[in-house]
Amino acid sequence: MASTSSFDIVSDFDRQELVNAIDQATREINSRYDLKDTNTTLELGEDAITVSTSSEFTLDAVNTVLQMKASKRNLSLKIFDYGKIESASGNRVRQEIKLKRGIEKDIAKQITKLIKDEFKKVQPSIQGDAVRVSAKSKDELQDIIQRLKQEDLPVALQFTNYR
């Protein structure tokens, strides 16, 4: 058994689940007594969500609702990168929440260093915004996945292309 096994470490999210979470959050915001008359809008763009509401207090409540709906749909809260709160026209506030995709170079280097330090017979390599890990033993790959799940990294990790 000389063949090698591998898997990819990526950071991505299911866009349809995000659309569903935003839809559910919008419904709850429109029906909740404390948020009903705030004219709050959640707009999903290509790589960001724009929240517009009446005050910073309601913005905080809207973000809590959005996080709750996202976590119920198995989306990691690490995909949200909250921007600063801006004033909008008519005494309103706006916040842009960027959606994080892909593993940045410095985080990818941190992951490969961790793998090289703890698992000697494994070859991690950075490929664009993903990390590919190869080894002769599938058990070692499983151990790496378990070890990375324990690590608290600033991105949501998924493990794909397991061969």
Side-chain angles (χ1 to χ4, degrees), residues 109-125:
K109 287 179 184 176
Q110 181 182 347
I111 291 170
T112 56
K113 182 179 179 342
L114 182 119
I115 292 171
K116 284 180 182 177
D117 288 348
E118 295 187 21
F119 301 92
K120 302 296 182 201
K121 298 178 182 177
V122 178
Q123 295 82 36
S125 62

Side-chain angles (χ1 to χ4, degrees), residues 25-84:
T26 303
R27 286 186 201 167
E28 182 171 327
I29 289 163
N30 290 335
S31 65
R32 260 181 54 175
Y33 178 75
D34 59 338
L35 300 174
K36 191 182 286 188
D37 297 326
T38 59
N39 293 329
T40 300
T41 59
L42 294 169
E43 295 176 25
L44 176 61
E46 192 62 35
D47 59 349
I49 301 168
T50 305
V51 180
S52 176
T53 189
S54 62
S55 69
E56 286 189 34
F57 176 74
T58 56
L59 179 67
D60 190 42
V62 167
N63 284 340
T64 303
V65 170
L66 179 62
Q67 290 173 358
M68 190 174 59
K69 297 302 179 185
S71 63
K72 281 187 179 176
R73 301 201 72 85
N74 293 325
L75 292 169
S76 172
L77 298 181
K78 293 179 181 180
I79 66 170
F80 299 129
D81 184 18
Y82 295 92
K84 64 181 173 100

Side-chain angles (χ1 to χ4, degrees), residues 87-136:
S87 294
S89 61
N91 288 338
R92 296 178 61 77
V93 292
R94 182 184 319 124
Q95 184 177 35
E96 187 174 70
I97 305 169
K98 294 205 182 300
L99 302 171
K100 292 196 257 182
R101 268 202 158 113
I103 301 174
E104 297 173 7
K105 284 280 187 218
D106 57 331
I107 297 171
K109 287 179 184 176
Q110 181 182 347
I111 291 170
T112 56
K113 182 179 179 342
L114 182 119
I115 292 171
K116 284 180 182 177
D117 288 348
E118 295 187 21
F119 301 92
K120 302 296 182 201
K121 298 178 182 177
V122 178
Q123 295 82 36
S125 62
I126 299 172
Q127 298 185 340
D129 58 357
V131 177
R132 174 158 291 161
V133 181
S134 306
K136 289 191 188 317

Side-chain angles (χ1 to χ4, degrees), residues 8-20:
D8 292 338
I9 304 169
V10 297
S11 179
D12 204 359
F13 58 89
D14 186 347
R15 185 160 179 88
Q16 187 58 50
E17 288 296 334
L18 182 63
V19 168
N20 292 343

